[in-house]
């Protein structure tokens, strides 16, 4: 196991810089997920950690040791690739044991290690098969086995579940989480799927355009998104972000939105009246009154039942407003609806910078 | 117009039957043409070989008899004569084998590495050198051969196995590099990276991962080089005299003796000469076909 420090890490291809001086700390034994849309630099960062890409500038250390000039082998990392990258001419057993064989581990010891790994991953019956005779999920297990068997100090996962169907993805996600709990190896996991990030991570690093948009626990990113980008990216369906106006109403602040007025949350007390972006998660809105809650009048436009719950696409003035709530067949398309929510679930952002207003206030104070 | 009127006058089922019959007849015609074409191709390729092989078992007087005799009493007389009268034939086969196997192995090793470089790296120099590799192959061999003669003599390589091994290898490295590049291009880069993470050095990656995955390409290259080296005449004639003399030179001598050509012995020699390359091609033909079509279909 190892503790990773990435400091002011930069990567350029020619004149184009794709990673702009990021700082990431991965605690010993932690599971850190790098999440972000395509092209945000998450895979590049992972490949730099693996030693597959050179670092343009910045510092990278494992347990305090500078690893910038070390090969992947010397870093003792193991990586699970998006396309599995199994050796097609080798059996499952040989695929898993290849790293050990290169390291000069004896045959008996190697076979024992391969068998033990296969047992943990429940693929003992597949050891003699070639990768082409395996299903997608089985291949992914072999790829994980190949990474596990060498007892690496860091596990790296590059979108390992993106080629699997939804059911298998959920199964493998649970298995990866179980494995991490069991082995406790420091892990860095790259995905564009916020659900994977939320379910697996001890810490999420949300990236945008080669910058860290926010790093924190899944709870922090969900409850206190630092920017509108994080607010939209984390959580499904995405947070409603609607242009509104902060107005002073006597001693209190109000938010004027689509001709309606609601009480502003305490975070914006210090903010001067003016335009803001109001955020409210679809799952934080209900069709039933909440104690001490507020309401907005909306018109139901589209119904999308998803089992016990339903997604309602509603109109709030000219803005689309999504609600996720329990479904008892009570909704009718075209009907008016009172959308109830708690003030504590409101998020306010600066329309210019996209920064969370309390975060911005903190930064200004700093 | 008349056709339309006639069709209109016929019951619909008859029109359909007639159209179906026409389609079937068209298909049969195309299939027949194709079969005839293949038959001609087989005859064109096989008849000379069959003629040589069969004639090597005929008596001298029967070889060019007209009409040719299909049923005859086979004899090994020509093979015995080859053994007794041309005692250099079999030792030169050993020379041919040493030279062909060495050139094949050397070309495969070099081209595995050079193909990997062309596949995995890119630079202006590599781009230019690829063009040079192809361009140099367009020159007629004799253009390169004659200036090489003094060089080979100066190096003391004349009439050695080494000179032919080096020449055959040099002659095939260009094409085989490109063949191997095509095959290695098909191997995903993530496989290289997985091997690097597993702790493989570049040589280990080449030997233990890339080579087995590009086996079809290697087989194709091996066949090209072996068959060429086994049958090559010009370089062997110019650069060898006795010690490294190869079988094609002896066959040429058999063909042209002061007493005229002993066709039976010649055919016996050619038949023996055919065996190794034919065996190699038959044993590796599935690799060869895949090798020749590499890159045409994404596999």
């Amino acid at each position: 196991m190892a503790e990773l420090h990435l400091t002011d890490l930069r990567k350029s291809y020619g004149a184009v810089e794709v990673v702009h001086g990021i700082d990431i700390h991965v605690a010993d034994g932690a599971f850190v997920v790098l999440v972000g849309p395509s092209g945000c630099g998450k895979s590049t960062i992972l490949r730099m950690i693996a030693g597959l890409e050179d670092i343009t500038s910045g510092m990278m250390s494992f347990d305090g040791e500078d690893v910038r000039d070390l090969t992947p082998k010397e870093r003792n990392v193991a990586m699970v690739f998006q396309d599995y990258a199994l050796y097609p001419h080798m059996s499952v057993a040989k695929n898993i044991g290849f790293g050990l064989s290169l390291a000069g581990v004896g045959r008996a010891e190697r076979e024992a290690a391969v068998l033990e790994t296969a047992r943990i991953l429940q693929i003992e019956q597949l050891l003699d098969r070639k990768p082409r005779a395996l299903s997608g999920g089985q291949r992914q297990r072999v790829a994980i086995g190949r990474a596990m068997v060498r007892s690496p100090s860091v596990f790296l996962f590059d979108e390992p579940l993106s080629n699997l169907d939804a059911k298998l993805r959920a199964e493998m996600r649970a298995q990866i989480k179980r494995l991490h709990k069991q082995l406790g190896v420091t892990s860095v996991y790259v995905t564009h799927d916020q659900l994977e990030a939320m379910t697996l991570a001890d810490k999420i690093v949300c990236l945008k355009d080669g910058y860290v948009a926010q790093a924190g626990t899944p709870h922090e990113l969900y409850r206190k998104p630092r920017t509108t980008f994080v607010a939209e990216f984390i959580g499904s369906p995405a947070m409603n972000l609607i242009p509104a106006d902060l107005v002073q109403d006597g001693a209190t602040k109000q938010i004027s939105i689509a001709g309606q007025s609601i009480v502003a949350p305490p975070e914006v007390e210090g903010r001067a009246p003016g335009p803001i972006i109001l955020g409210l998660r679809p799952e934080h809105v209900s069709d039933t009154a909440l104690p001490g809650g507020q309401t907005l009048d909306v018109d139901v436009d589209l119904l999308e039942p998803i089992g016990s719950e339903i997604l309602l696409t509603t109109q709030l003035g000219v803005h689309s407003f999504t609600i996720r709530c329990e479904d008892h067949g009570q909704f009718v398309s075209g009907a008016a609806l009172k959308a109830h929510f708690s003030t504590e679930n409101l998020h306010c952002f600066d329309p210019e910078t996209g920064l969370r207003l309390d975060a911005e206030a903190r930064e200004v104070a700093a | 117009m008349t056709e339309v009127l006639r069709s209109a006058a016929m019951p619909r089922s008859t029109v359909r039957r007639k159209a179906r019959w026409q389609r079937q007849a068209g298909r049969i015609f195309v299939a027949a043409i194709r079969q005839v074409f293949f038959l001609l191709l087989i005859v064109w390729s096989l008849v000379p070989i069959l003629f040589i092989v069969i004639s090597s078992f005929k008596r001298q007087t029967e070889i060019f008899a007209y009409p040719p005799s299909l049923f005859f009493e086979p004899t090994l007389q020509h093979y015995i004569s080859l053994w007794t009268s041309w005692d250099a034939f079999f030792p030169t086969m050993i020379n041919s084998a040493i030279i062909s196997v060495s050139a094949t192995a050397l070309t495969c090793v070099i081209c595995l590495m050079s193909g990997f470089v062309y596949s995995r790296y890119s630079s202006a120099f590599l781009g230019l050198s690829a063009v040079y590799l192809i361009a140099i192959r367009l020159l007629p061999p004799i253009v390169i051969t004659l200036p090489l003669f003094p060089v080979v003599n100066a190096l003391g390589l004349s009439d050695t196995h080494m000179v032919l091994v080096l020449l055959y290898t040099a002659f095939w490295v260009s094409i085989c590099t490109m063949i191997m590049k095509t095959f290695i291009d098909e191997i995903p880069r993530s496989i290289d990276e997985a091997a690097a993470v597993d702790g493989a050095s570049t040589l280990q990656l080449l030997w233990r991962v890339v080579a087995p995955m590009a086996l079809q390409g290697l087989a194709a290259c091996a066949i090209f080089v072996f068959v060429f080296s086994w049958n090559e005449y010009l370089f062997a004639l110019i650069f060898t005299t006795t010690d490294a003399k190869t079988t094609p030179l002896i066959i040429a001598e058999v063909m042209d003796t002061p007493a005229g050509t002993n066709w039976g012995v010649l055919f016996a020699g050619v038949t023996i000469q055919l065996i190794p390359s034919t065996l190699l091609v038959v044993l590796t033909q599935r690799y060869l076909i895949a090798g020749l079509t590499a890159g045409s279909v994404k596999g």
Side-chain angles (χ1 to χ4, degrees):
Chain A
M1 286 185 279
E3 183 184 20
L4 270 64
H5 273 287
L6 316 184
T7 314
D8 195 23
L9 200 69
R10 289 173 192 274
K11 177 70 187 173
S12 302
Y13 294 104
V16 182
E17 191 172 81
V18 291
V19 176
H20 313 283
I22 55 143
D23 298 299
I24 298 174
H25 171 235
V26 182
D28 193 4
F31 200 115
V32 170
V33 175
L34 308 182
V35 68
S38 296
C40 69
K42 55 190 188 297
S43 284
T44 309
I45 295 169
L46 193 81
R47 291 167 59 78
M48 285 197 280
I49 297 174
L52 296 171
E53 294 274 357
D54 292 332
I55 296 168
T56 306
S57 74
M59 180 67 188
M60 182 186 294
S61 67
F62 288 11
D63 281 335
E65 185 197 354
D66 183 356
V67 296
R68 286 175 298 178
D69 296 327
L70 300 187
T71 62
K73 179 188 172 185
E74 291 162 340
R75 294 181 193 200
N76 193 23
V77 295
M79 187 156 166
V80 180
F81 292 83
Q82 184 176 2
D83 61 354
Y84 320 126
L86 299 177
Y87 311 118
H89 58 291
M90 294 184 197
S91 65
V92 167
K94 286 197 171 151
N95 260 285
I96 296 176
F98 186 60
L100 296 178
S101 153
L102 290 172
V105 175
R107 191 173 172 169
E109 198 184 333
R110 195 167 71 225
E111 281 176 359
V114 168
L115 201 64
E116 173 61 13
T117 306
R119 194 188 55 73
I120 294 171
L121 292 166
Q122 297 164 353
I123 49 171
E124 300 118 296
Q125 73 285 8
L126 307 175
L127 285 175
D128 294 328
R129 288 202 203 164
K130 291 273 173 67
R132 66 171 172 271
L134 303 177
S135 68
Q138 289 168 335
R139 283 179 202 184
Q140 195 53 272
R141 261 174 232 195
V142 176
I144 292 172
R146 187 172 63 179
M148 263 173 65
V149 75
R150 285 171 37 227
S151 310
S153 50
V154 182
F155 263 137
L156 304 171
F157 297 88
D158 189 5
E159 307 206 29
L161 308 183
S162 58
N163 287 342
L164 304 179
D165 62 46
K167 183 170 175 285
L168 211 49
R169 204 154 52 219
E171 276 176 33
M172 288 302 297
R173 206 168 54 214
Q175 184 149 23
I176 289 172
K177 185 148 192 167
R178 211 174 298 123
L179 275 174
H180 179 252
K181 209 171 158 188
Q182 201 174 330
L183 305 172
V185 178
T186 310
S187 303
V188 183
Y189 187 107
V190 159
T191 181
H192 60 266
D193 182 348
Q194 62 86 30
L195 181 66
E196 269 174 37
M198 295 293 281
T199 49
L200 289 170
D202 298 325
K203 176 180 174 180
I204 295 177
V205 178
C206 188
L207 295 151
K208 187 194 178 198
D209 301 334
Y211 292 98
V212 175
Q214 187 173 1
T217 64
H219 184 77
E220 280 168 0
L221 265 73
Y222 181 78
R223 298 298 309 184
K224 297 267 182 193
R226 195 170 163 271
T227 63
T228 48
F229 170 75
V230 178
E232 268 192 307
F233 199 82
I234 301 292
S236 179
M239 182 189 280
N240 295 297
L241 291 171
I242 298 160
D245 282 303
L246 187 66
V247 289
Q248 191 75 43
D249 183 14
T252 60
K253 285 234 163 57
Q254 299 274 322
I255 293 172
S256 167
I257 179 166
Q260 302 178 52
S261 190
I262 57 173
V263 177
E267 294 100 275
V268 294
E269 276 309 314
R271 170 90 177 178
I276 59 163
I277 302 272
L278 181 72
L280 186 54
R281 293 201 181 276
E283 57 272 29
H284 290 157
V285 184
S286 169
D287 62 323
T288 52
L290 302 167
Q294 306 195 64
T295 57
L296 278 168
D297 293 322
V298 295
D299 296 314
V300 179
D301 192 13
L302 198 67
L303 311 179
E304 292 174 87
I306 48 169
S308 63
E309 292 188 315
I310 188 165
L311 290 181
L312 304 175
T313 305
T314 67
Q315 284 300 122
L316 174 60
V318 295
H319 308 291
S320 180
F321 185 80
T322 308
I323 301 171
R324 179 176 181 161
C325 55
E326 283 187 29
D327 184 18
H328 307 292
Q330 72 273 41
F331 300 109
V332 182
S333 182
L337 178 74
K338 282 208 178 297
H340 301 269
F341 56 91
S342 297
T343 310
E344 63 187 30
N345 287 328
L346 288 176
H347 306 262
C348 297
F349 300 95
D350 186 299
E352 299 285 321
T353 61
L355 283 174
R356 187 181 184 83
L357 284 181
D358 55 347
E360 183 194 41
R362 270 204 305 275
E363 277 190 356
V364 169
Chain B
M1 189 68 184
T2 324
E3 186 66 27
V4 173
L5 287 174
R6 202 183 299 145
S7 298
M10 273 193 269
R12 190 171 290 174
S13 63
T14 314
V15 174
R16 270 207 299 266
R17 211 176 304 136
K18 194 179 168 195
R20 201 183 312 138
W21 186 88
Q22 277 174 341
R23 275 201 302 275
Q24 260 174 359
R27 272 201 292 268
I28 290 168
F29 181 71
V30 171
I33 294 280
R34 195 184 297 152
Q35 297 301 326
V36 168
F37 176 75
F38 283 133
L39 198 68
L40 284 174
L41 206 66
I42 289 167
V43 168
W44 172 268
S45 320
L46 275 185
V47 163
I49 294 170
L50 281 178
F51 177 78
I52 288 170
V53 174
I54 291 169
S55 299
S56 72
F57 295 102
K58 285 181 175 177
R59 287 176 197 290
Q60 193 73 31
T61 49
E62 290 174 316
I63 294 177
F64 294 110
Y66 188 82
S69 54
L70 282 176
F71 302 100
F72 57 91
E73 195 183 328
T75 174
L76 290 175
Q77 185 55 49
H78 302 308
Y79 290 89
I80 295 165
S81 298
L82 182 68
W83 178 261
T84 53
S85 314
W86 295 91
D87 53 353
F89 182 83
F90 291 98
T92 57
M93 281 195 87
I94 295 173
N95 282 345
S96 281
I98 292 170
I99 292 163
S100 305
V101 170
S102 306
T104 304
L106 188 60
T107 310
C108 285
V109 169
I110 291 174
C111 294
L112 175 68
M113 295 193 279
S114 55
F116 181 78
V117 169
Y118 279 102
S119 171
R120 294 303 195 242
Y121 301 93
S122 62
S123 71
F125 170 75
L126 280 177
L128 275 175
S129 64
V131 175
Y132 178 74
L133 270 183
I134 300 296
I136 202 78
R137 191 68 171 76
L138 301 176
L139 292 173
I142 194 76
V143 173
I144 313 161
T145 313
L146 293 178
L148 269 177
F149 192 72
V151 178
V152 167
N153 274 339
L155 291 172
L157 288 174
S158 192
D159 200 21
T160 60
H161 295 145
M162 179 67 83
V163 68
L164 290 186
V165 170
L166 292 178
L167 281 174
Y168 296 159
T169 302
F171 198 72
W172 276 95
V173 150
S174 54
I175 294 286
C176 290
T177 294
M178 290 304 140
I179 291 177
M180 289 313 298
K181 177 195 177 298
T182 311
F183 272 90
I184 296 169
D185 280 345
E186 301 283 311
I187 301 172
R189 300 259 176 144
S190 57
I191 295 269
D192 301 15
E193 291 172 350
V197 171
D198 269 340
S201 63
T202 308
L203 270 182
Q204 285 171 320
L205 164 72
L206 267 172
W207 184 245
R208 297 185 64 173
V209 179
V210 175
M213 287 180 74
L215 201 58
Q216 291 184 330
L218 284 172
C221 293
I223 289 168
F224 287 142
V225 182
F226 184 86
V227 172
F228 172 85
S229 309
W230 186 253
N231 296 321
E232 204 279 332
Y233 179 77
L234 181 66
F235 291 148
L237 177 71
I238 293 173
F239 294 109
T240 67
T241 47
T242 47
D243 294 347
K245 200 170 185 177
T246 58
T247 326
L249 299 184
I250 298 287
I251 290 175
E253 285 173 18
V254 176
M255 208 161 68
D256 188 24
T257 65
T261 305
N262 185 333
W263 291 103
V265 175
L266 177 67
F267 290 162
V270 172
T271 303
I272 293 173
Q273 166 78 359
L274 274 172
I275 294 171
S277 34
T278 311
L279 267 180
L280 183 70
V281 172
V282 168
L283 290 175
T284 55
Q285 64 168 323
R286 67 194 176 103
Y287 292 116
L288 180 66
I289 292 164
L292 292 174
T293 57
S296 58
V297 178
K298 194 169 158 53

